Amino acid sequence: MLEYSAARLPAILVTVGLLLAMTPGPVAAGSAPHNADRSGPTGEVVTTTTVTTDPDDTAGPFDLAAVTHRIRQDAQAVRVRWTVRTHHGFDAGALQHRHRRFTVELDTDGEPGAERNVRIVARPGGIVAEVVSNATRAVVARLPTTRPDRRSLTFTGDPDLVGARRYFWYSDFHARGSSGCGYGDGFPVVCQDTAPERGWIRLDSPAWPASREAG
């Protein structure tokens, strides 16, 4: 059991459909196909995108609106692009690795639990996506992160680095004076949101890591 699981808040997800383009199986409520683009019969390029929406239900600036994964496969490689989007604009410079961040937990082997996570945080050189081993807490890699607009952040990597069989996102906002979350025992309460609120989101098999031991 991950240490933050007890803090996941109950809510009702907005269900907009289901997608599993290449591998049969259940997908979490709230997932929907969006802009599936397939090449001709040669199969040189296959791109699938899945969007999972989340309601406006958490106080603070990091209330999740949607999380997206896009899988692009061509003759040379597979790339996985991750995007997190909030209901309101936020200051990306306020992201911090402990209490103010976006995180995607990655189940790389199909067994219970997550072997890796990717946290989006602000560092002196800018906003980065840090790939972290859940077993050792070591940072495996740092990936550049782009900001399409004031509500979104995105990063891309290959399946062996940021791929997964299933995943969920969460955001934390913890700061003095956070009126929406209040205080408990004299300390600021962590505002947290997850997508989906329960369960995991499945990925198609091209996005699975080649090694079941990725961690």
Side-chain angles (χ1 to χ4, degrees):
M1 181 70 69
L2 297 174
E3 62 183 1
Y4 47 78
S5 62
R8 298 180 71 181
L9 304 176
I12 300 174
L13 285 173
V14 178
T15 303
V16 295
L18 298 173
L19 171 68
L20 264 185
M22 301 177 67
T23 304
V27 177
S31 297
H34 182 70
N35 295 338
D37 176 23
R38 296 182 180 274
S39 67
T42 59
E44 292 181 353
V45 177
V46 176
T47 302
T48 58
T49 302
T50 298
V51 180
T52 301
T53 59
D54 191 74
D56 187 350
D57 60 356
T58 302
F62 297 158
D63 184 13
L64 301 178
V67 296
T68 302
H69 71 263
R70 188 193 74 168
I71 306 168
R72 186 183 188 279
Q73 181 179 20
D74 60 27
Q76 286 74 42
V78 176
R79 301 286 284 174
V80 185
R81 186 179 72 187
W82 300 91
T83 302
V84 59
R85 184 171 176 83
T86 58
H87 282 279
H88 310 286
F90 60 89
D91 176 10
L95 293 168
Q96 187 257 6
H97 76 284
R98 291 189 62 191
H99 299 306
R100 295 185 298 279
R101 67 184 186 185
F102 297 102
T103 303
V104 55
E105 292 285 342
L106 305 176
D107 173 16
T108 63
D109 62 6
E111 300 297 328
E115 289 66 46
R116 281 185 179 171
N117 73 78
V118 184
R119 61 192 184 196
I120 302 178
V121 296
R123 294 298 186 187
I127 308 301
V128 296
E130 296 182 336
V131 185
V132 180
S133 166
N134 282 348
T136 66
R137 299 301 179 186
V139 176
V140 177
R142 289 183 171 89
L143 302 174
T145 301
T146 59
R147 193 167 193 197
D149 53 57
R150 285 188 53 79
R151 296 171 54 197
S152 305
L153 289 163
T154 184
F155 65 91
T156 303
D158 63 70
D160 282 344
L161 187 60
V162 299
R165 294 177 178 238
R166 58 181 188 161
Y167 68 92
F168 68 87
W169 280 86
Y170 71 93
S171 64
D172 280 343
F173 177 67
H174 181 110
R176 292 186 181 279
S178 175
S179 59
C181 298
Y183 285 81
D185 296 328
F187 296 94
V189 175
V190 176
C191 294
Q192 187 177 82
D193 195 18
T194 60
E197 294 295 333
R198 294 181 176 84
W200 302 70
I201 303 167
R202 290 283 302 275
L203 280 84
D204 298 332
S205 58
W208 295 1
S211 170
R212 292 175 59 87
E213 302 303 321

